[in-house]
Amino acid sequence: RPHSIAELAELAKLTLGDDPKPFKAWLRTAENARRAAKSFQEQGDLESAFVEYAKAATIVLEKIPAHPDYRVLLSTTQRHNMGLVS
């Protein structure tokens, strides 16, 4: 049977883990997940695309704003462009 949305979302979070990473590593991981998702989508593998898009979203919305270097390495404009401040 196909996985549920909740199962796919949980899979995305589990593959990210809780290990601390350097700020730039999170940015690279998010970009790689976005690229992989686009590729999976183009191939018609929507479950894998969802997992990769969910990874990228989790990184951008949860991991990056919680990182200790978030306010140090990104300007207000950069944070705004990422949709993280209004």
Side-chain angles (χ1 to χ4, degrees):
R1 77 168 175 80
H3 291 89
S4 70
I5 297 292
E7 290 170 333
L8 294 172
E10 186 62 26
L11 180 60
K13 283 194 174 195
L14 286 175
T15 59
L16 289 175
D18 289 327
D19 297 332
K21 290 184 182 180
F23 190 78
K24 288 185 179 185
W26 280 123
L27 293 174
R28 272 191 307 276
T29 303
E31 178 59 17
N32 289 339
R34 187 197 63 79
R35 285 184 184 147
K38 184 176 179 184
S39 177
F40 283 129
Q41 184 179 4
E42 289 169 353
Q43 296 169 27
D45 184 351
L46 300 182
E47 283 191 5
S48 295
F50 179 91
V51 169
E52 294 300 318
Y53 279 129
K55 281 184 199 177
T58 300
I59 293 167
V60 170
L61 298 173
E62 296 176 16
K63 301 288 187 180
I64 288 176
H67 196 280
D69 291 336
Y70 172 67
R71 296 218 179 266
V72 176
L73 297 176
L74 292 180
S75 69
T76 302
T77 301
Q78 289 170 319
R79 292 192 309 271
H80 175 76
N81 289 341
M82 290 178 70
L84 301 174
V85 294
S86 52

